[in-house]
Amino acid sequence: MIWLECDYTCGAHPAVLKHLVETNGENTPGYGLDPHCENAAQMIRELCQAPDAAVHFLVGGTQANLTVISAALRPHQGVVSADTGHIFAHESGAIEATGHKVLTVPTPDGKLTATQIDALCQAHADDPTAEHTVQPGMVYLSNPTELGTIYTLAELEAIREVTRRRDLLLFLDGARLGCALAVEDSGVTLPALARLCDVFYIGGTKMGALFGEALVFPDPALARDFRYLIKQKGGMFAKGRLLGVQFEALLSDGLYFQIGRHAVELAMELRRVLEEKGYPMPVPSPTNQQFPILPNEVLKRLEGVCTWSHMSCPDPEHTQVRFCTSWATTREEIEKVAALL
Amino acid sequence: MIWLECDYTCGAHPAVLKHLVETNGENTPGYGLDPHCENAAQMIRELCQAPDAAVHFLVGGTQANLTVISAALRPHQGVVSADTGHIFAHESGAIEATGHKVLTVPTPDGKLTATQIDALCQAHADDPTAEHTVQPGMVYLSNPTELGTIYTLAELEAIREVTRRRDLLLFLDGARLGCALAVEDSGVTLPALARLCDVFYIGGTKMGALFGEALVFPDPALARDFRYLIKQKGGMFAKGRLLGVQFEALLSDGLYFQIGRHAVELAMELRRVLEEKGYPMPVPSPTNQQFPILPNEVLKRLEGVCTWSHMSCPDPEHTQVRFCTSWATTREEIEKVAALL
Amino acid sequence: MIWLECDYTCGAHPAVLKHLVETNGENTPGYGLDPHCENAAQMIRELCQAPDAAVHFLVGGTQANLTVISAALRPHQGVVSADTGHIFAHESGAIEATGHKVLTVPTPDGKLTATQIDALCQAHADDPTAEHTVQPGMVYLSNPTELGTIYTLAELEAIREVTRRRDLLLFLDGARLGCALAVEDSGVTLPALARLCDVFYIGGTKMGALFGEALVFPDPALARDFRYLIKQKGGMFAKGRLLGVQFEALLSDGLYFQIGRHAVELAMELRRVLEEKGYPMPVPSPTNQQFPILPNEVLKRLEGVCTWSHMSCPDPEHTQVRFCTSWATTREEIEKVAALL
Amino acid sequence: MIWLECDYTCGAHPAVLKHLVETNGENTPGYGLDPHCENAAQMIRELCQAPDAAVHFLVGGTQANLTVISAALRPHQGVVSADTGHIFAHESGAIEATGHKVLTVPTPDGKLTATQIDALCQAHADDPTAEHTVQPGMVYLSNPTELGTIYTLAELEAIREVTRRRDLLLFLDGARLGCALAVEDSGVTLPALARLCDVFYIGGTKMGALFGEALVFPDPALARDFRYLIKQKGGMFAKGRLLGVQFEALLSDGLYFQIGRHAVELAMELRRVLEEKGYPMPVPSPTNQQFPILPNEVLKRLEGVCTWSHMSCPDPEHTQVRFCTSWATTREEIEKVAALL
């Protein structure tokens, strides 16, 4: 079976596993106060060209999102998100459970625009009863988005300008960041993110780690007392070094970027075939998630050969699905699936 | 260096690591809906003689505590705990952050008694302004406690009787449960816990896993919709099978119990020497944590040889410390430390 | 100046004030445990033909909404509301601050339909990742809605059928309930509400009281321990009898219904004139709030004569406003305004 | 019957009621944005000699406490309180429901000391696992305390010094502030409170109003966006002017201070008699609450004559009770009770 339903069905990339195995017998202090976490943090500071950045490792995306957002906002503030945003659509109300509303903006492609954010803030400012509504306090972007799309450098810069002017924090969820960074013409790099975001994360779980996300606060002042919050929200690992160890492996020898390029390359190959066959892909994605609308008979052929995620049924004879590549996907697998499309 | 500061300084037990490595290349569905989790859950149901039990795997103790407590209580209810209880003393306000007060009872040895719980409930019932106070809704025990002490079967049965009568849920935190189970004359077994508790967990993090706790709800009705809550609180792992895989290893061939016995045996050896030397141990612990009061000059001798946790300074020339053994501690290490006491 | 901006600019109806004055010197127990609250509760039980109902008095609408919703839902559940619903649009995130998401449905007229609620529940049931989303647990209606529209008996019965079948609680916000009850052909009466709703309130603040809403739980089981929650959320008045005293006055001699009829009658007179003049009213309201789109020059004429609430600017030369009548509005005032339209 | 069980059994002081009646027919904007609130706020600024102070009116004490504390603290911070403090002992977990722990210090007399606060902070600072505990962020005092005791100016200044040095906010609950201010030799005045506290309130509910507390933030920066929080927590009155109107009456012609003096004077008369009779009063209170231990036979004589609050039963033949005087208590009433002691 070829697993294309998502990018977390397999275990860790062999290099990550190897490093976990070779460090398993070490003894270190707990809770992330160990040399591996410090080393991985330093590697991140260098890759981001952000020498003062505070770096914290979280166990997963929802944990990272809820901890960051609840740490940063005052009680009357909400976080602005695309209505497709993971925090609004797929986290079981995690943000609301910390007391904060997600203020949504509809998007055709999963991407917020600077104009939309500005308009939402202006509407709040113009509202004579603004105090009876939730104050926007932060903008949440995911890059790649949940639809596989990515932000260009110019788009992020425009969003940054609005968030500065409107006194909003800018938070970028990089659960699949390696795939966004693999699209070279976007202009987005780690140093650019460190320059533009108040906080963002370099996702591990979906990029070859067993689990883990590396949060980067370019200005460490924003991370004040952040470890209290990690602990309070249940995200502080006793054997915290597991996170540092995995990121040491991912960030060595460019492995993280290579994993992103590998997944995107295979996804582009799949996309090429899907386009050739003329299957509609309403939102073209340049990253590792592809969302074609396929005839049900094609899906029937794929049954037992590969897996996919069901998205929706636009009509009785077609189904929109998601195919997702990862570090573990092989060219042979893609070719085998392509042959059946 | 001999690491005795806590039981989570080293990696995973070799058998756990081996199983992680050998299953690494598999592809499985995410979020704990995989064959390894189901298999481990079934092993737990059998060990507990609780065929209907709902079993859920959580990533760590604080996460387990806050998820269980917030899932079970109504907003006006609190959880009764010893004032040494982990949820009160060492979780950065995790329980309060979910909206619930921890109602504490002072204890000399970390153990709640049935009488104390009953008295607290009676005081609430007698209070003409009870509605202006927090209603007790659950009892939280840790076994072993944070002071290394354990409950006997008779003590747990008495507590069970009170909680039933007072309409309280009984929740037992078994972060180090294997060490409690290793003390045979306590009479406490997994089937006994399944009979007496509404929910309890079999701790993995401190018992040889990389991370993970296995929550057991003997009556599955209490776990209704529990997966929503795991997700909402950020504890649902994308690669959820990692938890199942580790518990498969821990629960095979009695490894979990053997790890408990090993750690307790070495701790008893250390305790024997400490007692011989006449060092006070205010609360005698039959498990893997020992809390002697040592002359500072003894600690000076131990510096660079072993690590320990600092507890308090009863006087300028003495220090109470914690020594903690684990699956990774060796007899030779204990002998080496003992020789310096 | 004629005050039409909302229905809470004036003090209490004279009969309410009179009863407050004549009982001022009494001494009674605090916190709502007094004869006036009990008497008012009994009057409500009789008017609702709900002899077992639990009745609680809250100080205001937002307080009532957040207390009811947080008391009723489990942590992973949300409340379904029209996107114009007060709890979503105008309570500063009060519901989210208690941990719960508001699940919205777009409506042209402020009214949820049974079909919409059913579809939302079906979509949740069909979602293979439902556990990653918020579970619908309650439906929130306001009647009249924020747009002045009302539900017919048939509509409420249809909603009731869906909520029963989908295991949802039905909560009706009656901040202006007296105005809905004044529209006779709706078929909605207090006994009908007590039969159809799990909880609803008879609003006082906007219906002639100084403040206060009377919550009715026809089945008292749902109100278990509700006084703990009133206290916890800060809504329990020390001099709680003030609420009972006001509702005694409002509910005596049909005053509450008479206030509703008075306000609606004058609003209908205003509407008649607005319609005659041909001013668009996109959502026709049969109650005390009217939302015409007026030429700015008309508003200019009204400046200094009456007040209104600004709604929006559909184009540079027109403004949509809200006119709101109350017990304190007089026929002469409406005639004076009408003459200037 | 003479009502001495608490100071909120009667209605409003006649002057307050009179002002409510005479302003009842006015129309004003809602939500506290009216001339009466602004006027009362200005009176308070002048009485406090705090020209820049932000003043907000809340409907009751629990509402004020939970709104202030949740507005001021970050999620990982707690509020330090005496274990007799209202927020810990009698608010149904209101503070925890907003996510914050109350960090308690035991006191014999209801009063926190600067030394205790300093020691608590030092213990936190010295704790190597401080991040696993709740960070002190604010100190909560009540003055008078729940035991009737009061702080001297020197005590408050010492506490102020510690809170500044330890970076804690200082919040003073003045539910019965008028009674503390009536004790002249304490040295505490409104200007002193405005100089020493970050936020405090001038209680109305227990000092002759129907309801209402006036929050004073001497430095308005701390009150940033506070109205959003009042609304979110359900404490914003539609007819908000009711609060301003009542404080206008209370603060005119020294009425507030006179009410305090009256209540304290009668309580001192009662205390004199209790002392003469030799009844123990474990914590001597200089304000309007007196806590004598009486023989049960004395209480039997008082039955049907006066009411009191039950505190505890130190032995089978004695009961500790609370007698509470208010603006409505008369000298004749006290004499009648005294004669039966």
Side-chain angles (χ1 to χ4, degrees), chain C residues 10 87 89 186 197 208 210 229 266:
Chain C
C10 193
I87 56 169
S186 77
C197 298
L210 288 178
L229 281 137
L266 294 186

Side-chain angles (χ1 to χ4, degrees), chain A residues 130-195:
Chain A
E131 295 165 345
H132 296 230
T133 70
V134 171
Q135 186 183 73
M138 179 182 252
V139 168
Y140 165 91
L141 307 178
S142 37
N143 192 34
T145 69
E146 295 70 15
L147 302 183
T149 50
I150 58 169
Y151 290 88
T152 65
L153 184 60
E155 288 168 338
L156 288 182
E157 282 175 337
I159 289 172
R160 183 56 187 165
E161 188 278 325
V162 170
T163 58
R164 284 252 162 79
R165 183 157 41 81
R166 294 293 190 177
D167 200 17
L168 302 170
L169 294 167
L170 180 54
F171 171 32
L172 185 141
D173 168 341
R176 296 182 171 98
L177 188 60
C179 291
L181 296 174
V183 183
E184 283 177 25
D185 59 11
S186 77
V188 173
T189 61
L190 287 178
L193 291 175
R195 178 168 57 83

Side-chain angles (χ1 to χ4, degrees), chain B residues 88 90 92 101 131-132, chain D residues 88 90-92 101 131-132:
Chain B
F88 185 71
H90 279 99
S92 304
K101 187 171 191 159
E131 294 165 347
H132 296 230
Chain D
F88 184 71
H90 279 99
E91 298 189 352
S92 304
K101 188 171 192 157
E131 294 165 346
H132 296 230

Side-chain angles (χ1 to χ4, degrees), chain D residues 165-183:
Chain D
R165 184 158 40 81
R166 294 293 190 176
D167 200 17
L168 302 170
L169 295 167
L170 181 53
F171 171 33
L172 187 141
D173 168 341
R176 294 182 173 98
L177 188 59
C179 292
L181 297 174
V183 184

Side-chain angles (χ1 to χ4, degrees), chain B residues 75-76 86-102 104 127-134 310, chain D residues 75-76 86-102 104 127-134 310:
Chain B
H76 62 297
H86 207 258
I87 56 169
F88 185 71
H90 279 99
E91 299 189 351
S92 304
I95 306 308
E96 291 86 356
T98 69
H100 300 283
K101 187 171 191 159
V102 183
T104 57
D127 185 349
T129 58
E131 294 165 347
H132 296 230
T133 70
V134 171
H310 173 92
Chain D
H76 63 297
H86 207 259
I87 56 169
F88 184 71
H90 279 99
E91 298 189 352
S92 304
I95 306 307
E96 292 86 357
T98 68
H100 299 283
K101 188 171 192 157
V102 183
T104 57
D127 185 348
T129 58
E131 294 165 346
H132 296 230
T133 69
V134 171
H310 174 91

Side-chain angles (χ1 to χ4, degrees), chain B residues 48-71:
Chain B
C48 293
Q49 298 172 12
D52 301 325
V55 177
H56 292 279
F57 298 100
L58 274 282
V59 297
T62 299
Q63 190 81 32
N65 292 338
L66 74 88
T67 307
V68 165
I69 292 169
S70 66

Side-chain angles (χ1 to χ4, degrees), chain D residues 92 117 202 248:
Chain D
S92 304
I117 297 165
I202 302 172
E248 281 178 326

